């Protein structure tokens, strides 16, 4: 609950592209590799066909993204999470430090399973410029206690850690908000079916979220585990050109009007209305004016 409220507060803060009424995203999520050291039953990675690719984002791409966000005086959330385990990238501290130097007013967060964490690793992440460390404990209360001990020993100042109980049984939904991950859970260990008929309600993700994977590909949202909703590539294009470009606009227009008949949204069971309403209002005004 604390993290959900934190994210809602971030999403409610709207900043505009300079000289326009077009909103910037409040959240930029980076899936910084193609690999994870776990295959949890409620994750698409428990599907034997899901690829595990030990490749990582380049420092060049991190610098490019950071500089272009800095040009917009970005002060929202930078989140290392996505479809991977962020701490498997040994250059994560460097990448956090680069983004912190370029974006001094941004919130930088990491979501991790904690398997490679030590007290020193925690300390070094915060020295690099991390704001919040969210640790998912999958192995029981003993692991929760261990993570809390090493967090306390790190003596974090000016930052925040949270250990989350993710070991609960299926009847308690594992302690997470379950979804079918854009229709990618049909063959997972804890199978959740792809919707036969698409939802008809608006989805606000594309109004406030910019999601980039380790290859620089920008996807519709963090639920697109099929990675089929491609709207641009940061290796070849600019942040602003992607965010305001036709591909993103067309998806955004459809989703704000409740049209989910396209991939990857047609099989997705996520309501997508928890946050982002302020951004959606501005985008609808912009869409109507340009129609």
């Amino acid at each position: 609950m604390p993290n959900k409220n934190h994210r809602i507060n971030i999403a409610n803060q709207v900043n505009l592209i300079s000289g326009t009424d077009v909103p910037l995203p409040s959240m930029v999520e980076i899936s910084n590799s193609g690999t994870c050291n776990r295959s949890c039953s409620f994750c698409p990675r428990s599907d034997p066909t899901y690829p595990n690719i030990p490749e990582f984002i380049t420092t060049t791409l991190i610098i490019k993204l950071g500089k272009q966000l800095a040009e917009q005086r970005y002060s929202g959330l930078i989140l290392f999470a996505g479809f991977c385990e962020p701490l498997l990238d040994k250059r994560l501290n460097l990448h956090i430090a680069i983004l912190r130097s370029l974006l001094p007013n941004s919130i930088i967060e990491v979501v991790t399973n904690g398997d490679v964490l030590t007290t020193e690793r925690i300390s070094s992440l915060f020295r690099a410029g991390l704001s919040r460390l969210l640790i998912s404990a999958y192995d029981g209360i003993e692991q929760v206690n261990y993570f809390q001990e090493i967090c306390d020993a790190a003596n974090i100042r000016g930052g925040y850690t949270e250990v989350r109980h993710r070991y609960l049984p299926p009847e308690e939904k594992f302690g997470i908000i379950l979804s079918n991950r854009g229709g990618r859970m049909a063959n997972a260990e804890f199978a959740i079916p792809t919707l036969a008929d698409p939802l008809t309600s608006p989805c606000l993700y594309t109004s406030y979220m910019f999601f980039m994977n380790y290859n620089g590909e920008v996807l519709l949202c963090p639920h697109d585990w099929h990675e089929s909703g491609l709207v641009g590539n940061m290796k070849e294009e600019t942040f602003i050109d992607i965010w305001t470009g036709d591909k993103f606009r067309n998806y955004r227009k459809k989703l704000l009007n409740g049209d989910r008949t396209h991939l990857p949204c047609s099989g997705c069971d996520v309501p997508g209305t928890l946050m982002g309403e302020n951004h959606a209002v501005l985008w609808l005004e912009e869409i109507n004016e340009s129609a």
Side-chain angles (χ1 to χ4, degrees):
M1 182 65 73
N3 192 54
K4 184 177 79 170
N5 292 336
H6 164 71
R7 294 280 171 81
I8 292 173
N9 289 337
I10 290 173
N12 283 338
Q13 298 173 18
V14 179
N15 291 300
L16 304 178
I17 296 173
S18 179
T20 76
D21 293 324
V22 177
L24 288 164
S26 290
M27 300 182 187
V28 173
E29 184 166 347
I30 302 171
S31 187
N32 64 332
S33 83
T35 188
C36 185
N37 61 310
R38 286 188 176 241
S39 55
C40 300
S41 63
F42 49 82
C43 175
R45 288 189 176 277
S46 65
D47 177 347
T49 67
Y50 194 87
N52 192 54
I53 303 171
E55 296 177 0
F56 301 88
I57 197 168
T58 65
T59 301
T60 299
L61 188 53
I62 289 289
I63 293 171
K64 180 179 181 181
L65 176 64
K67 285 184 174 179
Q68 293 186 5
L69 290 174
E71 290 172 359
Q72 299 298 322
R73 298 182 180 180
Y74 183 77
S75 59
L77 173 66
I78 305 286
L79 174 63
F80 286 92
F83 311 145
C84 65
E85 168 46 51
L87 290 182
L88 296 181
D89 189 346
K90 296 179 180 179
R91 299 160 306 150
L92 181 58
N93 283 27
L94 171 63
H95 294 167
I96 290 172
I98 289 168
L99 292 173
R100 174 56 67 214
S101 67
L102 293 168
L103 304 164
N105 297 317
S106 288
I107 300 165
I108 303 177
E109 297 185 4
V110 169
V111 177
T112 176
N113 60 36
D115 287 346
V116 299
L117 275 181
T118 63
T119 293
E120 175 52 32
R121 188 79 188 271
I122 295 170
S123 297
S124 68
L125 286 166
F126 283 94
R127 286 197 302 268
L130 189 66
S131 306
R132 289 167 55 93
L133 180 65
L134 306 175
I135 309 168
S136 298
Y138 295 120
D139 297 339
I141 191 63
E142 296 83 3
Q143 189 185 43
V144 170
N145 294 336
Y146 168 73
F147 285 149
Q148 196 59 63
E149 287 174 6
I150 62 174
C151 286
D152 292 343
N155 193 25
I156 304 305
R157 297 181 181 180
Y160 178 83
T161 62
E162 180 180 333
V163 182
R164 305 188 294 179
H165 297 237
R166 298 296 191 244
Y167 56 85
L168 300 179
E171 55 269 23
E172 296 184 55
K173 300 181 179 180
F174 306 100
I176 67 173
I177 299 174
L178 286 174
S179 78
N180 70 6
R181 311 294 179 102
R184 195 61 176 83
M185 287 290 292
N187 296 313
E189 183 179 339
F190 185 82
I192 304 175
T194 301
L195 294 186
D197 298 306
L199 299 176
T200 57
S201 58
C203 178
L204 311 186
Y205 269 100
T206 56
S207 296
Y208 70 92
M209 168 71 74
F210 187 92
F211 183 95
M212 183 182 76
N213 70 13
Y214 67 100
N215 283 320
E217 295 170 334
V218 180
L219 306 174
L220 283 183
C221 79
H223 294 284
D224 181 15
W225 282 71
H226 281 289
E227 300 189 70
S228 59
L230 184 64
V231 293
N233 193 309
M234 276 294 297
K235 288 183 178 179
E236 304 161 358
E237 304 166 79
T238 69
F239 163 75
I240 286 296
D241 284 347
I242 295 171
W243 181 243
T244 63
D246 289 342
K247 288 182 180 179
F248 225 148
R249 283 176 179 269
N250 290 338
Y251 277 117
R252 193 178 286 126
K253 181 178 180 179
K254 289 178 180 179
L255 289 169
L256 288 176
N257 286 290
D259 179 358
R260 303 196 190 199
T261 56
H262 50 275
L263 292 174
C265 306
S266 56
C268 181
D269 65 355
V270 177
T273 54
L274 181 62
M275 58 189 86
E277 184 175 352
N278 294 341
H279 291 73
V281 169
L282 290 173
W283 275 117
L284 282 171
E285 291 176 357
E286 195 273 341
I287 289 167
N288 292 332
E289 288 176 1
S290 59

